[in-house]
Amino acid sequence: MSEAVLPDTTRTPDRPAGTAGVERPAVLSALAAAGITADASPRRRAEYSFDASNYRIPPLAVVFPRSVEDVVAAVRACRATGTPLIGRGGGTSMAGNAIGPGVVLDFSRYLNRVHRVDEAAGTVSVEPGVVLATLSAEVERATNGRFTFAPDPSSKNRATVGGALGNDACGNHSVRYGRTSDHVAEIDVVTSDGARLTAGGEGLRATDPEDTAAALRAAQLTSELKELAHANLAGFRTELGRIQRQVSGYHLANLLPEKGFNVARALVGSEGTCAVIVGARMKLVPKPASALLVCIGYQDVVEASRDIGAILEFSPSAVEGIDEAIVDTMRFRRGDGSVQGLPEGRAWLYVDLDGDDPDEVAGEAGRLLARLRENGRMMDGRPVPDPVERASLWRVREVGAGLSSRLSTGGESWPGWEDSAVAPEKLPDYLADFRDLLAKHSLTGVMYGHLGAGCMHIRITYDLRSDAGRAVFRTFSREAAELVVQHGGSLSGEHGDGRARSELLPIMYSAAMLRAFADYRRIWDPAGILNPGSLTEPDPLDGHLALAGVPERAWRTSFDLRPIGAGGSASAETDDPSDESGAGSNPWVHAVQGCIGVGKCRSDTAGVMCPSYRATRDEKDSTRGRARVLQDMVRGARSIEEGWRSEEVREVLDLCLSCKACSSDCPTGTDMATYKSEFFDHYYRGRRRPLSHYSLGWLPRWLKLTGRIAPLVNAALATPLGKLAAAAGGMTTKRALPKFAGAGEWRKQVAAAGLQPGEHDGGARHGADPSSGVVLFVDTFTRGFRPEVAGAAARVLAGAGQPAECSADACCGLTWISTGQLDTAKKLLRGAAEALDDGTDRPIVVVEPSCAAALRKDLPELVHTEQARRVAARVRSFAAHVGELAAGGWKPAPAEPLPEQVVLQTHCHEYAVFGAATQRQALAAVGIEGVTDATGCCGVAGNFGFEKQHYDVSMQVAEHALAPALRGSGPDVPVLTDGFSCAMQVNQLAPDRPGRHLAQLLDPEPDQTDQTIDKKDSPA
């Protein structure tokens, strides 16, 4: 899709950008005539060219239907013009089921409501775009926790009901609850000729009884489907439904008389090839009163699978498995604390037991462990009653697909054969043979999945970038299909066949069954427009591969983006970050290809990523959407220079807050803040930048001036001149500006704490003891706006008995990094490394967490020297250092009693770089347990929230977590905002509740001239 990055010079009312000389597709005119808005821009097409599979197919356009009538109009326009139509929910398909060459209908944006929970009937009425986790939560809320919706795939916080119906998704508790098809009562559909029908457990009817044409179509379909079933009675009974997880192909056994002619269940798993789902009534299940996780360690996954039979005798609700590669990657990416409570082993089973009585459940867990010890395969095992440990362990399993894609060893793995299933009793032999097949092709498989149901998610280290590697992929896939069939299994156990496995269905099914599949599809969609390329008349499994056809070019970057194992990041082996030795591809290309589409950035629960998507609900504002446009940039640009000038990329990066949360929250470690900085550095070369890049991007320079005349500046900003100044600098006039501190104020503060400011210029050169003390780094923001925090931090360190030196003669370059002015940033960072490299291992404690993160992460990635790496390794945020002090036995002695309750706004950069729980752990360590954690970006994010065009979005972002936390807590509850940006947002939302730094809370001798931001700050 080369036009995706062309300069936007061809846009007219009738022609999307980048299509000069290309005739407008007829379907766009038909949609417009029907009043349907279709986005055919190159940027939007790039976003929807991918799902979570190995494939890429650019659509013609994307439609976001707001009603069933919109869907009918879109279907009729596609039918009239012979245009393929693809339904899409969360876009998390791993088999290529959610992409295609025509019009994509994204149901997740608007058709996402839960209409009615009918506890008496045991059903819930939903639209197709509702997220599964949202559905479960709404059912539990409406029934006071008595019922829930059972299917819970690992993608449940972004996957939708429509997608679950399309694939027949299962989930972590499928041992108890089975597949989505087990939980469907009725499905409302639109057929390819525009009829609105309802499929139920005993047949098919017009959704509207007064719709005569639909009634006739329902009767016709009913007749033809019954004829199909009658003609294939033997095949449907013997070839289909043989094992619990036989998802491959169509589920036509449900049309048998003994199954009641269940048309609804027959439609589940049809992958959007038969009709477009526009609504459903789903079944509810009782929610267990008590559940207990039992975690069991084994030597490997094969050994673990040999105990499945014994475990199933205890009627568990879940039996899930992971191997050590996933655990190691989780710890590597998010720290050792991200995985708590694992017993000894190299592979683990998660077994959920449940019941009405907690004591009985605990007793059953003990009996299970005793039985497994008798079997002799278990290395170790333990119940996990602690909810924090339980959540931590399940989180590792739920992000397995992403974690396994970019491993801690530097390797990559891919889907394609990630969903095979056999009967549980055959799983050990199947896995043993499968390992031999991997070895035959010199491949490695990362194993996890639903072992209790016999379904394995195995991501494999294919080389999909080269012709030779793709040939291995094809050969291996065919041999893997033959192997699973030999073991009586299914090519797919829940993800569907899609483009990954449909070509292989002849290995699993007879020619007669394949004809029945084709007839079934034709009965529903005689025009053949619905999701072509899957199930029947399939695309080649090695066609449309996203990594094929990407030009090999030398994209040069300032950031060291080489992967682990290729000399990258903190272990750079060369001063050239674009060096490709050992990387397999250009580091910039490899980095932006890190996103594999799992879509965790589209969730609105857990973690911080992605604040802009949570505000706008637009794919372009998700980490995934941005990554996909970047991927099309490196694929389609006619030259490197054109790529760096892509307007489409600039547009998708516009609302990126550079919060860095994706670098931690994204299972693949996609670091969009870094990519944005790198791209902007190239994009704006030789161009006029936005005014805010000069006013806010150069802020440390301006602070040197304002510090000399702070009283005059503050007085002027309190007048109408303040708004004029803000507007002139490209800033919003709606946000309060902080007071500027005098240049010498921070010096007075730290001097009063017994430190001599500015003395630190290399402790080793002054005979400093390398084994004791710390260096307190007073950053630009603290010096310029919160000097009192420097004093508080100095006093806390002194009270801890730590000899401290103070350094403030350097800058981390953060504002230049976030605005993509990397030449200046590198110069400043080199200076910082020189100033702070004192030959000791003393911790460098940085007051402002964003500056700490820049010195820890950005310094070694932008300055490729041993000195930079030495300094970065010593950097701590203040909260992280407090946690270390407390772990060593230190107890704070604050002048004021510590509060019992606090509202905590963790700074995103600290969250991403030093660990998600850094501040909460520090608070717990000093005795504060009552924490209302506003988990999410505050919305200011450095310059973002001050920029005129971003103010409204910044306030929307605050509404996700911070604003509700403030409203839900008492006015006397302190608000902790170690980050200056966070403090500014609190000041905007609640001027009477100034944000405080942790150092101020722990201060043993608070300075009486505290200048904490308050409601008197001048409006911009």
Side-chain angles (χ1 to χ4, degrees):
M1 193 175 129
S2 61
E3 74 271 14
V5 293
L6 296 182
D8 192 7
T9 59
T10 61
R11 192 184 303 273
T12 71
D14 297 318
R15 179 181 292 138
T19 58
V22 178
E23 184 178 353
R24 176 182 172 87
V27 70
L28 298 184
S29 298
L31 289 167
I36 303 299
T37 300
D39 191 341
S41 67
R43 191 214 75 235
R44 183 67 81 190
R45 293 171 60 210
E47 294 158 11
Y48 284 80
S49 295
F50 307 80
D51 50 16
S53 70
N54 294 329
Y55 302 97
R56 170 190 176 272
I57 302 179
L60 285 175
V62 180
V63 171
F64 303 97
R66 295 174 179 267
S67 66
V68 177
E69 290 72 22
D70 284 354
V71 176
V72 172
V75 169
R76 287 176 174 166
C78 289
R79 170 71 175 258
T81 58
T83 304
L85 186 144
I86 299 91
R88 179 173 168 125
T92 56
S93 165
M94 292 190 185
N97 334 54
I99 55 175
V103 172
V104 171
L105 296 183
D106 182 347
F107 289 94
S108 67
R109 194 168 183 187
Y110 299 119
L111 286 176
N112 54 17
R113 289 161 291 189
V114 177
H115 284 300
R116 183 179 180 223
V117 178
D118 188 338
E119 186 172 350
T123 61
V124 55
S125 178
V126 299
E127 293 178 338
V130 66
V131 171
L132 295 173
T134 301
L135 172 58
S136 297
E138 183 62 22
V139 169
E140 292 170 20
R141 185 199 63 78
T143 63
N144 291 318
R146 292 183 293 274
F147 289 87
T148 191
F149 180 68
D152 61 341
S154 295
S155 57
K156 62 181 178 289
N157 61 1
R158 63 268 191 197
T160 66
V161 171
L165 288 166
N167 288 357
D168 203 4
C170 304
N172 295 335
H173 291 81
S174 62
V175 169
R176 167 75 52 77
Y177 297 113
R179 296 153 29 186
T180 298
S181 54
D182 296 311
H183 301 274
V184 63
E186 292 184 330
I187 305 174
D188 299 328
V189 302
V190 175
T191 62
S192 64
D193 55 356
R196 293 180 59 179
L197 307 178
T198 295
E202 297 179 348
L204 195 62
R205 68 178 190 274
T207 301
D208 178 2
E210 303 298 320
D211 187 343
T212 305
L216 290 173
R217 181 71 170 117
Q220 177 192 8
L221 280 167
T222 297
S223 174
E224 293 185 25
L225 292 173
K226 286 185 174 180
E227 288 179 12
L228 178 69
H230 182 74
N232 292 276
L233 291 174
F236 287 4
R237 287 169 175 151
T238 57
E239 289 194 56
L240 303 178
R242 294 175 291 105
I243 62 173
Q244 178 183 352
R245 286 296 196 93
Q246 187 173 342
V247 168
S248 279
Y250 290 111
H251 305 168
L252 302 186
N254 291 293
L255 298 178
L256 291 167
E258 60 266 33
K259 298 289 187 178
F261 191 61
N262 195 321
V263 180
R265 292 190 64 167
L267 273 176
V268 179
S270 57
E271 303 182 25
T273 62
C274 294
V276 180
I277 297 172
V278 292
R281 263 71 62 208
M282 307 302 294
K283 298 176 182 178
L284 312 181
V285 299
K287 186 177 181 182
S290 179
L292 178 64
L293 172 65
V294 181
C295 195
I296 310 157
Y298 291 88
Q299 181 63 32
D300 59 35
V301 171
V302 175
E303 282 295 286
S305 69
R306 299 190 190 282
D307 271 345
I308 295 299
I311 294 171
L312 291 177
E313 294 175 12
F314 288 78
S315 300
S317 62
V319 185
E320 298 290 295
I322 57 172
D323 75 9
E324 64 178 341
I326 292 174
V327 173
D328 289 347
T329 301
M330 184 74 161
R331 286 173 169 156
F332 170 79
R333 191 161 293 144
R334 303 185 188 177
D336 290 340
S338 63
V339 183
Q340 303 176 32
L342 272 183
E344 181 184 357
R346 299 181 63 189
W348 295 268
L349 291 180
Y350 293 3
V351 180
D352 251 359
L353 302 174
D354 57 25
D356 295 328
D357 187 317
D359 292 334
E360 289 183 6
V361 175
E364 191 77 344
R367 289 187 286 274
L368 170 63
L369 289 172
R371 170 69 179 279
L372 297 180
R373 288 190 187 96
E374 291 177 4
N375 287 355
R377 285 180 283 268
M378 178 181 77
M379 294 179 64
D380 191 14
R382 59 184 288 266
V384 187
D386 181 78
V388 175
E389 284 191 356
R390 176 185 171 92
S392 168
L393 292 174
W394 273 116
R395 191 176 302 116
V396 179
R397 166 62 189 90
E398 289 170 353
V399 296
L403 288 173
S404 61
S405 70
R406 291 272 172 109
L407 299 168
S408 59
T409 59
E412 296 178 317
S413 68
W414 302 96
W417 195 257
E418 84 301 329
D419 194 42
S420 55
V422 297
E425 63 271 18
K426 295 186 177 182
L427 187 59
D429 292 341
Y430 168 60
L431 290 179
D433 289 346
F434 190 83
R435 287 198 305 194
D436 292 341
L437 181 62
L438 288 168
K440 172 184 173 182
H441 291 279
S442 300
L443 297 170
T444 300
V446 181
M447 298 187 180
Y448 63 102
H450 315 290
L451 273 70
C455 180
M456 291 302 301
H457 297 329
I458 307 173
R459 296 182 69 93
I460 298 171
T461 56
Y462 307 117
D463 170 19
L464 299 179
R465 292 185 170 88
S466 71
D467 290 339
R470 290 188 288 271
V472 170
F473 169 65
R474 164 169 278 282
T475 302
F476 176 86
S477 296
R478 174 163 289 278
E479 293 181 11
E482 292 167 350
L483 177 64
V484 76
V485 170
Q486 289 170 15
H487 286 270
S490 176
L491 312 183
S492 174
E494 70 171 322
H495 295 165
D497 298 307
R499 287 169 171 78
R501 290 172 285 273
S502 294
E503 183 190 347
L504 303 172
L505 287 174
I507 296 174
M508 180 175 172
Y509 290 115
S510 67
M513 185 58 64
L514 294 174
R515 285 194 297 272
F517 287 168
D519 290 343
Y520 179 69
R521 180 174 187 165
R522 178 191 51 76
I523 290 170
W524 280 101
D525 178 25
I529 65 171
L530 297 179
N531 204 9
S534 294
L535 289 173
T536 66
E537 299 182 27
D539 288 345
L541 65 86
D542 54 352
H544 305 295
L545 289 172
L547 295 182
V550 179
E552 295 184 7
R553 291 170 172 158
W555 300 81
R556 300 188 65 83
T557 62
S558 292
F559 282 95
D560 185 355
L561 301 173
R562 287 170 296 166
I564 301 301
S569 192
S571 60
E573 297 166 354
T574 168
D575 287 339
D576 179 8
S578 297
D579 179 73
E580 298 180 23
S581 56
S585 63
N586 175 266
W588 170 253
V589 175
H590 185 268
V592 301
Q593 288 175 342
C595 173
I596 58 170
V598 294
K600 192 171 185 293
C601 49
R602 285 173 52 101
S603 69
D604 58 6
T605 58
V608 174
M609 177 184 70
C610 175
S612 55
Y613 176 78
R614 291 175 176 181
T616 69
R617 315 303 295 183
D618 191 330
E619 177 76 13
K620 81 174 178 66
D621 299 320
S622 68
T623 304
R624 181 177 73 178
R626 295 177 177 119
R628 295 315 200 184
V629 177
L630 281 164
Q631 288 170 19
D632 259 22
M633 175 190 110
V634 299
R635 165 189 290 277
R638 291 173 298 196
S639 66
I640 289 176
E641 292 73 19
E642 181 181 81
W644 288 128
R645 296 287 177 149
S646 168
E647 287 296 329
E648 286 75 21
V649 174
R650 185 208 58 77
E651 185 178 0
V652 294
L653 292 175
D654 179 59
L655 292 187
C656 173
L657 284 81
S658 297
C659 68
K660 294 184 183 289
C662 51
S663 67
S664 172
D665 281 352
C666 174
T668 68
T670 297
D671 185 359
M672 196 54 61
T674 293
Y675 308 160
K676 176 181 178 180
S677 178
E678 186 69 57
F679 177 80
F680 275 14
D681 184 53
H682 293 271
Y683 178 85
Y684 285 112
R685 295 242 168 168
R687 285 180 169 177
R688 180 183 175 88
R689 287 174 169 269
L691 291 172
S692 61
H693 285 202
Y694 303 107
S695 59
L696 298 171
W698 293 8
L699 184 61
R701 291 178 179 172
W702 305 132
L703 288 176
K704 290 181 180 179
L705 174 61
T706 59
R708 299 190 184 103
I709 53 173
L712 179 61
V713 172
N714 291 329
L717 292 179
T719 72
L721 288 175
K723 288 190 176 183
L724 292 174
M731 293 183 285
T732 179
T733 58
K734 298 178 182 178
R735 185 176 294 282
L737 289 176
K739 291 180 179 178
F740 291 85
E745 183 59 31
W746 74 272
R747 297 177 182 275
K748 296 176 185 177
Q749 292 280 349
V750 298
L755 297 185
Q756 293 303 311
E759 271 195 357
H760 178 80
D761 60 351
R765 295 187 286 272
H766 295 279
D769 182 354
S771 64
S772 65
V774 298
V775 175
L776 177 64
F777 183 81
V778 184
D779 56 89
T780 299
F781 293 101
T782 302
R783 295 198 304 268
F785 297 111
R786 296 198 294 179
E788 68 282 356
V789 175
R795 288 187 289 272
V796 171
L797 294 176
Q802 289 202 311
E805 293 185 27
C806 181
S807 176
D809 52 357
C811 176
C812 68
L814 174 64
T815 59
W816 282 276
I817 295 171
S818 61
T819 54
Q821 303 181 70
L822 296 183
D823 287 343
T824 301
K826 288 185 286 186
K827 179 179 179 181
L828 291 169
L829 284 169
R830 281 192 290 268
E834 174 63 27
L836 293 169
D837 187 31
D838 58 12
T840 76
D841 292 327
R842 294 180 300 170
I844 300 170
V845 180
V846 185
V847 178
E848 166 64 37
S850 60
C851 296
L855 290 171
R856 169 65 76 88
K857 181 180 183 295
D858 296 326
L859 170 59
E861 291 181 359
L862 286 169
V863 180
H864 316 125
T865 65
E866 285 297 330
Q867 182 180 68
R869 289 187 282 276
R870 283 196 303 268
V871 169
R874 294 167 51 203
V875 172
R876 312 283 192 276
S877 70
F878 183 83
H881 189 64
V882 165
E884 292 176 5
L885 289 175
W890 169 73
K891 299 289 184 184
E896 300 177 4
L898 292 175
E900 295 182 359
Q901 301 281 332
V902 297
V903 172
L904 171 62
Q905 175 59 53
T906 299
H907 194 288
C908 298
H909 289 195
E910 183 168 42
Y911 172 99
V913 176
F914 294 96
T918 297
Q919 282 193 288
R920 180 181 275 275
Q921 289 171 348
L923 291 172
V926 300
I928 301 176
E929 298 290 347
V931 179
T932 300
D933 199 342
T935 302
C937 182
C938 72
V940 171
N943 57 296
F944 183 89
F946 279 93
E947 292 169 336
K948 178 181 178 180
Q949 71 274 25
H950 296 148
Y951 173 79
D952 289 341
V953 172
S954 78
M955 300 307 290
Q956 287 177 274
V957 169
E959 285 297 328
H960 180 75
L962 177 57
L966 292 174
R967 290 192 293 266
S969 59
D972 296 328
V973 176
V975 183
L976 278 186
T977 55
D978 280 13
F980 175 67
S981 294
C982 306
M984 290 303 299
Q985 187 72 307
V986 169
N987 182 57
Q988 186 77 2
L989 294 165
D992 293 321
R993 298 179 68 181
R996 303 181 67 189
H997 194 284
L998 178 60
Q1000 293 172 299
L1001 208 64
L1002 303 178
D1003 193 345
E1005 299 177 22
D1007 182 62
Q1008 297 303 308
T1009 62
D1010 192 303
Q1011 298 179 22
T1012 300
I1013 298 170
D1014 59 32
K1015 63 182 179 180
K1016 297 179 182 178
D1017 290 340
S1018 57

